Amino acid sequence: QVQLVESGGGLVQAGGSLRLSCAASGSRFSINVMAWYRQAPGKQRELVAHITSGGSTNYPDSVRGRFTISRDNAKNTVYLQMNSLKPEDTAVYYCYADEITTTWARYDYWGQGTQVTVSS
């Protein structure tokens, strides 16, 4: 069972920056994809950034150029650097990890979420 522990959320003014971290522990196999999602009140959870074990990244247009995802495979940790934050970035941010076993079974794991609030 993989545990994901997030940190780094908080309150920031528009135009400011925050850095989120998520450490995965308990994995006995390979952590493949790690990602950040967010969910604002009354809205569906949406992908914010995605990174593979090889370092390939993907972002939606809403955050591309402002957010940067990175990971430290040795520490099974993923980071999200968020710059030029906007009030519409306000949401609970969730860490996601995808574990692949030696028999190619896949398991999804989610963190508990961390609140990011951007004031105007």
Side-chain angles (χ1 to χ4, degrees):
Q1 188 79 4
V2 174
Q3 292 80 43
L4 301 176
V5 178
E6 300 134 333
S7 60
L11 173 64
V12 65
Q13 288 189 332
S17 299
L18 281 175
R19 187 189 194 214
L20 306 182
S21 300
C22 172
S25 62
S27 176
R28 297 186 295 131
F29 305 107
S30 173
I31 299 291
N32 181 29
V33 169
M34 298 190 81
W36 289 94
Y37 286 74
R38 67 186 180 188
Q39 187 167 20
K43 295 188 177 181
Q44 290 189 327
R45 190 172 296 189
E46 62 176 358
L47 175 69
V48 175
H50 160 286
I51 186 168
T52 68
S53 58
S56 296
T57 59
N58 185 43
Y59 306 92
D61 290 343
S62 58
V63 307
R64 186 176 293 113
R66 300 188 297 121
F67 290 10
T68 302
I69 190 170
S70 60
R71 66 187 284 176
D72 183 333
N73 288 333
K75 297 181 179 179
N76 273 342
T77 299
V78 64
Y79 306 96
L80 184 69
Q81 178 65 44
M82 304 184 292
N83 298 329
S84 302
L85 283 160
K86 304 176 181 179
E88 52 262 43
D89 294 318
T90 295
V92 178
Y93 284 69
Y94 295 92
C95 178
Y96 164 88
D98 167 77
E99 182 186 43
I100 300 178
T101 72
T102 54
T103 57
W104 299 103
R106 299 183 67 165
Y107 298 93
D108 297 337
Y109 298 96
W110 293 90
Q112 78 284 357
T114 186
Q115 177 70 45
V116 171
T117 302
V118 184
S119 63
S120 57

